[in-house]
Short mmCIF file of all heavy atoms in Angstrom, two decimals:
data_model
loop_
_atom_site.label_atom_id
_atom_site.label_comp_id
_atom_site.label_asym_id
_atom_site.label_seq_id
_atom_site.Cartn_x
_atom_site.Cartn_y
_atom_site.Cartn_z
N ARG A 246 13.68 50.02 45.47
CA ARG A 246 14.70 49.72 46.49
C ARG A 246 16.09 49.65 45.87
O ARG A 246 17.08 50.00 46.52
CB ARG A 246 14.34 48.43 47.21
CG ARG A 246 13.28 48.69 48.27
CD ARG A 246 12.60 47.45 48.76
NE ARG A 246 11.64 47.76 49.81
CZ ARG A 246 10.46 48.32 49.61
NH1 ARG A 246 10.08 48.65 48.40
NH2 ARG A 246 9.65 48.58 50.62
N VAL A 249 17.19 53.26 45.44
CA VAL A 249 17.57 53.86 46.72
C VAL A 249 18.88 53.28 47.22
O VAL A 249 19.67 53.96 47.86
CB VAL A 249 16.44 53.63 47.75
CG1 VAL A 249 16.90 54.01 49.14
CG2 VAL A 249 15.22 54.41 47.39
N THR A 251 18.99 50.11 48.84
CA THR A 251 18.84 49.15 49.93
C THR A 251 18.85 47.72 49.42
O THR A 251 18.98 46.80 50.20
CB THR A 251 17.55 49.40 50.73
OG1 THR A 251 16.47 49.55 49.83
CG2 THR A 251 17.68 50.63 51.57
N ARG A 278 22.51 59.15 49.25
CA ARG A 278 21.48 58.91 50.25
C ARG A 278 20.75 60.20 50.60
O ARG A 278 19.57 60.19 50.95
CB ARG A 278 22.10 58.33 51.52
CG ARG A 278 22.76 57.01 51.25
CD ARG A 278 22.34 55.99 52.28
NE ARG A 278 22.09 54.72 51.65
CZ ARG A 278 22.67 53.59 52.01
NH1 ARG A 278 23.53 53.57 52.98
NH2 ARG A 278 22.36 52.48 51.41
N PHE A 285 6.66 55.76 51.59
CA PHE A 285 6.19 54.38 51.60
C PHE A 285 4.67 54.24 51.53
O PHE A 285 3.94 55.19 51.76
CB PHE A 285 6.70 53.67 52.84
CG PHE A 285 8.16 53.36 52.76
CD1 PHE A 285 9.10 54.30 53.15
CD2 PHE A 285 8.59 52.16 52.26
CE1 PHE A 285 10.44 54.02 53.07
CE2 PHE A 285 9.92 51.88 52.17
CZ PHE A 285 10.85 52.80 52.58
N ASP A 287 2.56 52.10 53.45
CA ASP A 287 1.82 52.10 54.70
C ASP A 287 2.35 53.25 55.55
O ASP A 287 3.44 53.16 56.11
CB ASP A 287 2.02 50.76 55.40
CG ASP A 287 1.18 50.66 56.66
OD1 ASP A 287 0.71 51.71 57.14
OD2 ASP A 287 1.00 49.55 57.17
N ALA A 290 3.31 52.38 59.29
CA ALA A 290 4.43 51.43 59.47
C ALA A 290 5.76 52.10 59.18
O ALA A 290 6.79 51.63 59.64
CB ALA A 290 4.25 50.22 58.57
N ALA A 291 5.73 53.19 58.42
CA ALA A 291 6.98 53.84 58.05
C ALA A 291 7.45 54.81 59.12
O ALA A 291 8.48 55.46 58.96
CB ALA A 291 6.82 54.57 56.72
N LEU A 292 6.69 54.95 60.21
CA LEU A 292 7.08 55.87 61.28
C LEU A 292 7.33 55.07 62.54
O LEU A 292 6.51 54.24 62.93
CB LEU A 292 5.95 56.89 61.52
CG LEU A 292 5.45 57.65 60.30
CD1 LEU A 292 4.28 58.55 60.70
CD2 LEU A 292 6.55 58.48 59.69
N ASN A 293 8.46 55.32 63.18
CA ASN A 293 8.80 54.62 64.42
C ASN A 293 7.81 55.02 65.52
O ASN A 293 7.74 56.19 65.89
CB ASN A 293 10.22 54.99 64.82
CG ASN A 293 10.70 54.21 66.01
OD1 ASN A 293 9.91 53.62 66.74
ND2 ASN A 293 12.00 54.20 66.22
N PRO A 294 7.04 54.05 66.06
CA PRO A 294 6.00 54.41 67.03
C PRO A 294 6.54 55.00 68.32
O PRO A 294 5.78 55.59 69.09
CB PRO A 294 5.29 53.08 67.29
CG PRO A 294 6.24 52.02 66.84
CD PRO A 294 7.04 52.62 65.74
N ARG A 295 7.82 54.84 68.61
CA ARG A 295 8.37 55.34 69.87
C ARG A 295 9.00 56.72 69.73
O ARG A 295 9.59 57.22 70.67
CB ARG A 295 9.43 54.38 70.41
CG ARG A 295 8.97 52.96 70.56
CD ARG A 295 8.20 52.76 71.84
NE ARG A 295 7.69 51.40 71.94
CZ ARG A 295 6.74 51.02 72.78
NH1 ARG A 295 6.20 51.91 73.58
NH2 ARG A 295 6.34 49.79 72.82
N MET A 296 8.96 57.30 68.54
CA MET A 296 9.57 58.61 68.35
C MET A 296 8.49 59.65 68.10
O MET A 296 7.46 59.35 67.51
CB MET A 296 10.53 58.58 67.15
CG MET A 296 11.86 57.93 67.47
SD MET A 296 12.74 57.42 66.00
CE MET A 296 13.53 58.92 65.51
N GLU A 304 15.20 63.23 61.75
CA GLU A 304 16.25 62.20 61.72
C GLU A 304 17.20 62.32 60.53
O GLU A 304 18.42 62.29 60.72
CB GLU A 304 15.64 60.80 61.79
CG GLU A 304 16.76 59.78 61.96
CD GLU A 304 16.27 58.37 62.15
OE1 GLU A 304 15.24 58.02 61.55
OE2 GLU A 304 16.94 57.61 62.86
N PRO A 305 16.70 62.45 59.30
CA PRO A 305 17.66 62.57 58.18
C PRO A 305 18.58 63.78 58.34
O PRO A 305 19.77 63.70 58.04
CB PRO A 305 16.75 62.75 56.96
CG PRO A 305 15.44 62.23 57.36
CD PRO A 305 15.31 62.46 58.82
N THR A 308 21.20 63.06 60.87
CA THR A 308 22.15 62.07 60.36
C THR A 308 23.14 62.70 59.41
O THR A 308 24.33 62.40 59.45
CB THR A 308 21.39 60.96 59.63
OG1 THR A 308 20.39 60.44 60.52
CG2 THR A 308 22.31 59.84 59.22
N HIS A 309 22.66 63.58 58.55
CA HIS A 309 23.54 64.12 57.51
C HIS A 309 24.19 65.44 57.87
O HIS A 309 25.21 65.80 57.32
CB HIS A 309 22.77 64.25 56.19
CG HIS A 309 22.54 62.93 55.53
ND1 HIS A 309 23.46 62.34 54.72
CD2 HIS A 309 21.52 62.07 55.62
CE1 HIS A 309 23.01 61.17 54.32
NE2 HIS A 309 21.82 60.98 54.84
N LYS A 319 14.71 72.44 64.93
CA LYS A 319 13.30 72.59 65.28
C LYS A 319 12.60 73.57 64.33
O LYS A 319 11.46 73.35 63.91
CB LYS A 319 13.18 73.07 66.72
CG LYS A 319 11.84 72.77 67.33
CD LYS A 319 11.86 73.02 68.81
CE LYS A 319 10.43 73.02 69.31
NZ LYS A 319 10.34 73.50 70.67
N GLU A 327 4.53 72.80 58.38
CA GLU A 327 3.55 73.74 57.86
C GLU A 327 3.41 73.58 56.35
O GLU A 327 2.31 73.58 55.80
CB GLU A 327 4.00 75.16 58.19
CG GLU A 327 2.87 76.09 58.45
CD GLU A 327 3.37 77.37 59.09
OE1 GLU A 327 4.24 77.30 59.97
OE2 GLU A 327 2.89 78.42 58.69
N ARG A 328 4.56 73.37 55.71
CA ARG A 328 4.60 73.23 54.26
C ARG A 328 3.75 72.05 53.78
O ARG A 328 3.11 72.10 52.75
CB ARG A 328 6.06 73.05 53.82
CG ARG A 328 6.30 73.02 52.35
CD ARG A 328 6.20 74.41 51.78
NE ARG A 328 6.17 74.37 50.33
CZ ARG A 328 5.11 74.04 49.62
NH1 ARG A 328 4.00 73.72 50.22
NH2 ARG A 328 5.16 74.03 48.31
N LEU A 332 -0.06 71.07 61.48
CA LEU A 332 0.15 72.16 62.43
C LEU A 332 1.48 71.96 63.12
O LEU A 332 1.74 70.90 63.68
CB LEU A 332 -0.96 72.16 63.47
CG LEU A 332 -2.31 72.70 63.01
CD1 LEU A 332 -3.37 72.39 64.04
CD2 LEU A 332 -2.23 74.19 62.78
N ASN A 334 2.54 72.88 65.84
CA ASN A 334 2.53 72.67 67.29
C ASN A 334 2.27 71.20 67.65
O ASN A 334 2.27 70.85 68.81
CB ASN A 334 1.48 73.57 67.95
CG ASN A 334 0.08 73.21 67.52
OD1 ASN A 334 -0.11 72.69 66.42
ND2 ASN A 334 -0.89 73.46 68.36
N ILE A 336 4.36 69.00 67.03
CA ILE A 336 5.70 68.44 66.86
C ILE A 336 6.03 67.37 67.89
O ILE A 336 6.82 66.47 67.63
CB ILE A 336 6.73 69.59 66.88
CG1 ILE A 336 8.09 69.14 66.39
CG2 ILE A 336 6.83 70.23 68.25
CD1 ILE A 336 9.00 70.29 66.04
N ASN A 337 5.42 67.45 69.07
CA ASN A 337 5.75 66.48 70.11
C ASN A 337 4.80 65.30 70.16
O ASN A 337 4.82 64.52 71.10
CB ASN A 337 5.77 67.16 71.48
CG ASN A 337 6.98 68.04 71.63
OD1 ASN A 337 8.02 67.75 71.05
ND2 ASN A 337 6.84 69.12 72.37
N ARG A 338 3.91 65.20 69.18
CA ARG A 338 2.96 64.09 69.19
C ARG A 338 3.60 62.83 68.63
O ARG A 338 4.62 62.88 67.97
CB ARG A 338 1.74 64.46 68.37
CG ARG A 338 0.95 65.55 69.02
CD ARG A 338 -0.48 65.15 69.08
NE ARG A 338 -1.22 66.08 69.88
CZ ARG A 338 -2.45 65.83 70.29
NH1 ARG A 338 -3.03 64.70 69.95
NH2 ARG A 338 -3.09 66.68 71.02
N TYR A 339 2.94 61.73 68.85
CA TYR A 339 3.45 60.44 68.38
C TYR A 339 2.61 59.96 67.18
O TYR A 339 1.44 60.33 67.06
CB TYR A 339 3.40 59.42 69.51
CG TYR A 339 4.44 59.72 70.56
CD1 TYR A 339 4.20 60.64 71.57
CD2 TYR A 339 5.68 59.14 70.49
CE1 TYR A 339 5.16 60.95 72.51
CE2 TYR A 339 6.66 59.43 71.42
CZ TYR A 339 6.40 60.33 72.43
OH TYR A 339 7.37 60.63 73.34
N HIS A 341 0.93 57.42 66.36
CA HIS A 341 -0.38 56.76 66.51
C HIS A 341 -1.49 57.75 66.80
O HIS A 341 -2.66 57.38 66.84
CB HIS A 341 -0.31 55.69 67.61
CG HIS A 341 -0.05 56.24 68.98
ND1 HIS A 341 -1.00 56.29 69.94
CD2 HIS A 341 1.05 56.79 69.54
CE1 HIS A 341 -0.52 56.84 71.04
NE2 HIS A 341 0.75 57.15 70.81
N GLU A 342 -1.12 59.02 67.04
CA GLU A 342 -2.15 60.03 67.31
C GLU A 342 -2.62 60.72 66.03
O GLU A 342 -3.38 61.67 66.09
CB GLU A 342 -1.60 61.06 68.30
CG GLU A 342 -1.24 60.44 69.63
CD GLU A 342 -0.55 61.42 70.57
OE1 GLU A 342 0.58 61.84 70.27
OE2 GLU A 342 -1.15 61.75 71.59
N ARG A 355 9.51 64.15 56.15
CA ARG A 355 10.80 63.52 56.43
C ARG A 355 11.61 63.38 55.14
O ARG A 355 12.82 63.59 55.13
CB ARG A 355 10.59 62.15 57.07
CG ARG A 355 11.90 61.36 57.15
CD ARG A 355 11.74 60.06 57.84
NE ARG A 355 10.68 59.27 57.23
CZ ARG A 355 10.19 58.16 57.76
NH1 ARG A 355 10.63 57.75 58.91
NH2 ARG A 355 9.25 57.49 57.15
N GLU A 387 2.24 69.72 44.05
CA GLU A 387 2.58 71.09 44.39
C GLU A 387 4.04 71.20 44.84
O GLU A 387 4.79 72.07 44.39
CB GLU A 387 1.65 71.52 45.54
CG GLU A 387 1.65 72.98 45.85
CD GLU A 387 0.87 73.25 47.12
OE1 GLU A 387 0.20 72.32 47.63
OE2 GLU A 387 0.92 74.37 47.60
N MET B 66 -3.89 74.71 45.49
CA MET B 66 -3.98 73.27 45.26
C MET B 66 -4.45 72.58 46.52
O MET B 66 -5.26 71.68 46.49
CB MET B 66 -2.60 72.71 44.90
CG MET B 66 -2.22 72.86 43.45
SD MET B 66 -3.52 72.47 42.31
CE MET B 66 -3.12 70.86 41.75
N LEU B 67 -3.92 72.95 47.63
CA LEU B 67 -4.24 72.25 48.87
C LEU B 67 -5.41 72.96 49.54
O LEU B 67 -5.29 74.10 49.96
CB LEU B 67 -3.02 72.30 49.78
CG LEU B 67 -3.06 71.37 50.96
CD1 LEU B 67 -2.96 69.95 50.47
CD2 LEU B 67 -1.93 71.69 51.89
N ASN B 69 -6.99 72.64 52.40
CA ASN B 69 -7.05 73.00 53.81
C ASN B 69 -5.86 73.82 54.26
O ASN B 69 -5.69 74.09 55.41
CB ASN B 69 -7.14 71.74 54.66
CG ASN B 69 -5.98 70.81 54.41
OD1 ASN B 69 -5.18 71.08 53.50
ND2 ASN B 69 -5.88 69.75 55.16
N ARG B 70 -5.01 74.18 53.31
CA ARG B 70 -3.78 74.88 53.68
C ARG B 70 -4.07 76.24 54.30
O ARG B 70 -3.58 76.57 55.38
CB ARG B 70 -2.94 75.02 52.42
CG ARG B 70 -1.69 75.77 52.61
CD ARG B 70 -0.57 74.86 53.03
NE ARG B 70 0.65 75.59 52.94
CZ ARG B 70 1.24 75.86 51.79
NH1 ARG B 70 0.73 75.38 50.67
NH2 ARG B 70 2.33 76.56 51.78
N VAL B 73 -5.59 75.83 57.62
CA VAL B 73 -4.60 75.44 58.63
C VAL B 73 -3.82 76.65 59.08
O VAL B 73 -3.65 76.90 60.28
CB VAL B 73 -3.65 74.37 58.03
CG1 VAL B 73 -2.40 74.25 58.88
CG2 VAL B 73 -4.35 73.04 57.92
N GLU B 74 -3.36 77.45 58.13
CA GLU B 74 -2.57 78.62 58.49
C GLU B 74 -3.39 79.61 59.29
O GLU B 74 -2.93 80.19 60.26
CB GLU B 74 -2.01 79.28 57.22
CG GLU B 74 -0.77 78.56 56.75
CD GLU B 74 -0.30 79.04 55.40
OE1 GLU B 74 -0.96 79.93 54.83
OE2 GLU B 74 0.72 78.51 54.92
N ALA B 77 -3.83 78.38 62.80
CA ALA B 77 -2.58 78.49 63.55
C ALA B 77 -2.29 79.93 63.92
O ALA B 77 -1.88 80.22 65.04
CB ALA B 77 -1.44 77.92 62.72
N LEU B 82 -1.14 78.65 68.73
CA LEU B 82 -1.21 77.46 69.57
C LEU B 82 0.12 77.15 70.24
O LEU B 82 1.18 77.25 69.64
CB LEU B 82 -1.61 76.26 68.71
CG LEU B 82 -3.06 76.30 68.25
CD1 LEU B 82 -3.32 75.15 67.31
CD2 LEU B 82 -4.00 76.23 69.43
N ALA B 83 0.00 76.78 71.49
CA ALA B 83 1.18 76.28 72.18
C ALA B 83 1.43 74.86 71.68
O ALA B 83 0.55 74.22 71.13
CB ALA B 83 0.91 76.27 73.67
N GLU B 84 2.64 74.41 71.86
CA GLU B 84 2.95 73.06 71.43
C GLU B 84 2.15 72.06 72.25
O GLU B 84 2.05 72.17 73.46
CB GLU B 84 4.45 72.78 71.62
CG GLU B 84 5.23 73.17 70.41
CD GLU B 84 6.71 73.10 70.64
OE1 GLU B 84 7.13 72.32 71.50
OE2 GLU B 84 7.43 73.84 69.95
N VAL B 85 1.59 71.09 71.54
CA VAL B 85 0.81 70.07 72.22
C VAL B 85 1.76 68.97 72.66
O VAL B 85 2.60 68.54 71.90
CB VAL B 85 -0.24 69.49 71.26
CG1 VAL B 85 -1.09 68.48 72.00
CG2 VAL B 85 -1.09 70.60 70.72
N LYS B 86 1.59 68.57 73.89
CA LYS B 86 2.42 67.47 74.37
C LYS B 86 1.80 66.17 73.90
O LYS B 86 0.61 65.94 74.08
CB LYS B 86 2.45 67.53 75.90
CG LYS B 86 3.39 66.54 76.54
CD LYS B 86 4.54 67.25 77.25
CE LYS B 86 5.43 66.24 77.97
NZ LYS B 86 6.03 65.27 77.08
N GLY B 87 2.58 65.34 73.23
CA GLY B 87 2.06 64.09 72.73
C GLY B 87 1.97 63.05 73.83
O GLY B 87 2.67 63.14 74.84
N ARG B 88 1.06 62.13 73.67
CA ARG B 88 1.01 60.99 74.61
C ARG B 88 1.79 59.86 73.99
O ARG B 88 1.36 59.27 73.01
CB ARG B 88 -0.43 60.55 74.82
CG ARG B 88 -1.17 61.37 75.83
CD ARG B 88 -2.63 61.00 75.79
NE ARG B 88 -2.85 59.65 76.26
CZ ARG B 88 -2.96 59.32 77.54
NH1 ARG B 88 -2.85 60.24 78.44
NH2 ARG B 88 -3.19 58.08 77.90
N SER B 89 2.94 59.57 74.56
CA SER B 89 3.74 58.49 74.00
C SER B 89 3.10 57.16 74.36
O SER B 89 2.23 57.08 75.23
CB SER B 89 5.16 58.54 74.54
OG SER B 89 5.15 58.16 75.89
N LEU B 90 3.56 56.12 73.67
CA LEU B 90 3.05 54.79 73.99
C LEU B 90 3.40 54.43 75.43
O LEU B 90 2.67 53.71 76.09
CB LEU B 90 3.64 53.76 73.03
CG LEU B 90 3.21 53.90 71.58
CD1 LEU B 90 3.83 52.80 70.75
CD2 LEU B 90 1.70 53.83 71.46
N TRP B 91 4.55 54.96 75.91
CA TRP B 91 4.94 54.69 77.30
C TRP B 91 3.92 55.29 78.25
O TRP B 91 3.55 54.68 79.24
CB TRP B 91 6.32 55.27 77.60
CG TRP B 91 7.41 54.68 76.77
CD1 TRP B 91 8.22 55.34 75.90
CD2 TRP B 91 7.82 53.31 76.71
NE1 TRP B 91 9.09 54.47 75.32
CE2 TRP B 91 8.88 53.21 75.79
CE3 TRP B 91 7.39 52.14 77.35
CZ2 TRP B 91 9.52 52.02 75.49
CZ3 TRP B 91 8.03 50.96 77.04
CH2 TRP B 91 9.07 50.90 76.13
N ASP B 93 0.79 55.94 77.67
CA ASP B 93 -0.42 55.12 77.60
C ASP B 93 -0.27 53.88 78.47
O ASP B 93 -1.17 53.53 79.24
CB ASP B 93 -0.66 54.67 76.15
CG ASP B 93 -1.31 55.76 75.33
OD1 ASP B 93 -1.70 56.78 75.94
OD2 ASP B 93 -1.44 55.59 74.11
N GLU B 264 8.90 49.11 57.87
CA GLU B 264 9.36 50.12 56.92
C GLU B 264 10.16 51.23 57.57
O GLU B 264 11.03 51.80 56.93
CB GLU B 264 8.15 50.68 56.17
CG GLU B 264 7.68 49.70 55.11
CD GLU B 264 6.32 50.04 54.54
OE1 GLU B 264 5.64 50.91 55.11
OE2 GLU B 264 5.95 49.46 53.52
N PHE B 265 9.89 51.53 58.85
CA PHE B 265 10.63 52.66 59.43
C PHE B 265 12.12 52.33 59.57
O PHE B 265 12.95 53.22 59.52
CB PHE B 265 10.02 53.13 60.75
CG PHE B 265 10.01 52.15 61.88
CD1 PHE B 265 11.13 51.97 62.66
CD2 PHE B 265 8.87 51.43 62.18
CE1 PHE B 265 11.12 51.08 63.71
CE2 PHE B 265 8.85 50.54 63.23
CZ PHE B 265 9.98 50.36 64.01
N GLU B 267 13.64 50.44 57.33
CA GLU B 267 14.12 50.58 55.95
C GLU B 267 14.39 52.05 55.61
O GLU B 267 15.38 52.37 54.95
CB GLU B 267 13.07 50.00 55.01
CG GLU B 267 13.66 49.60 53.68
CD GLU B 267 12.60 49.13 52.72
OE1 GLU B 267 11.58 48.59 53.19
OE2 GLU B 267 12.79 49.31 51.52
N VAL B 268 13.49 52.91 56.07
CA VAL B 268 13.72 54.34 55.85
C VAL B 268 15.05 54.76 56.45
O VAL B 268 15.84 55.45 55.81
CB VAL B 268 12.59 55.18 56.50
CG1 VAL B 268 12.85 56.65 56.32
CG2 VAL B 268 11.25 54.81 55.93
N VAL B 270 17.65 52.94 57.08
CA VAL B 270 18.77 52.39 56.30
C VAL B 270 18.96 53.22 55.03
O VAL B 270 20.08 53.61 54.69
CB VAL B 270 18.49 50.91 55.93
CG1 VAL B 270 19.58 50.40 55.01
CG2 VAL B 270 18.43 50.06 57.19
N ALA B 271 17.86 53.52 54.36
CA ALA B 271 17.94 54.27 53.11
C ALA B 271 18.49 55.67 53.35
O ALA B 271 19.18 56.23 52.50
CB ALA B 271 16.57 54.34 52.45
N THR B 272 18.17 56.26 54.51
CA THR B 272 18.66 57.60 54.81
C THR B 272 20.15 57.57 55.13
O THR B 272 20.80 58.60 55.09
CB THR B 272 17.90 58.17 56.02
OG1 THR B 272 16.53 57.94 55.81
CG2 THR B 272 18.12 59.65 56.17
N GLY B 273 20.66 56.39 55.46
CA GLY B 273 22.09 56.30 55.76
C GLY B 273 22.40 56.41 57.23
O GLY B 273 23.49 56.80 57.60
N VAL B 274 21.43 56.08 58.10
CA VAL B 274 21.71 56.09 59.54
C VAL B 274 22.65 54.93 59.86
O VAL B 274 22.54 53.85 59.28
CB VAL B 274 20.39 55.94 60.33
CG1 VAL B 274 20.64 56.00 61.81
CG2 VAL B 274 19.40 57.03 59.93
N ARG B 282 18.27 53.28 68.30
CA ARG B 282 17.19 54.26 68.21
C ARG B 282 15.88 53.64 67.72
O ARG B 282 14.81 54.07 68.12
CB ARG B 282 17.62 55.37 67.25
CG ARG B 282 16.80 56.63 67.39
CD ARG B 282 17.18 57.64 66.33
NE ARG B 282 18.52 58.19 66.53
CZ ARG B 282 19.21 58.80 65.55
NH1 ARG B 282 18.68 58.91 64.34
NH2 ARG B 282 20.41 59.27 65.78
N HIS B 283 15.99 52.66 66.84
CA HIS B 283 14.76 52.14 66.24
C HIS B 283 14.38 50.75 66.73
O HIS B 283 13.21 50.44 66.84
CB HIS B 283 14.89 52.10 64.71
CG HIS B 283 15.00 53.46 64.11
ND1 HIS B 283 13.92 54.28 63.97
CD2 HIS B 283 16.05 54.15 63.63
CE1 HIS B 283 14.30 55.42 63.42
NE2 HIS B 283 15.60 55.37 63.21
N PRO B 286 14.20 50.43 71.41
CA PRO B 286 13.00 50.98 72.04
C PRO B 286 11.73 50.20 71.71
O PRO B 286 10.81 50.14 72.51
CB PRO B 286 12.91 52.41 71.48
CG PRO B 286 14.27 52.74 71.06
CD PRO B 286 14.89 51.47 70.61
N ASN B 287 11.70 49.58 70.55
CA ASN B 287 10.50 48.86 70.17
C ASN B 287 10.43 47.46 70.73
O ASN B 287 9.36 46.85 70.73
CB ASN B 287 10.37 48.82 68.64
CG ASN B 287 9.84 50.12 68.11
OD1 ASN B 287 8.70 50.47 68.37
ND2 ASN B 287 10.66 50.86 67.41
#
Side-chain angles (χ1 to χ4, degrees):
Chain A
R246 280 164 178 75
V249 170
T251 48
R278 298 228 138 125
F285 286 87
D287 185 344
L292 307 176
N293 185 343
R295 305 278 177 196
M296 282 161 83
E304 188 175 34
T308 306
H309 286 275
K319 202 169 167 191
E327 213 167 319
R328 185 75 191 77
L332 284 169
N334 65 333
I336 194 165
N337 287 330
R338 292 230 171 192
Y339 289 84
H341 65 107
E342 298 174 293
R355 170 177 54 190
E387 192 188 351
Chain B
M66 277 316 259
L67 193 69
N69 57 354
R70 177 88 169 284
V73 164
E74 278 171 0
L82 289 174
E84 271 172 26
V85 183
K86 186 114 176 61
R88 277 171 68 83
S89 71
L90 293 182
W91 298 119
D93 280 352
E264 283 168 348
F265 63 82
E267 202 184 331
V268 178
V270 174
T272 313
V274 182
R282 197 186 291 161
H283 294 284
N287 281 294

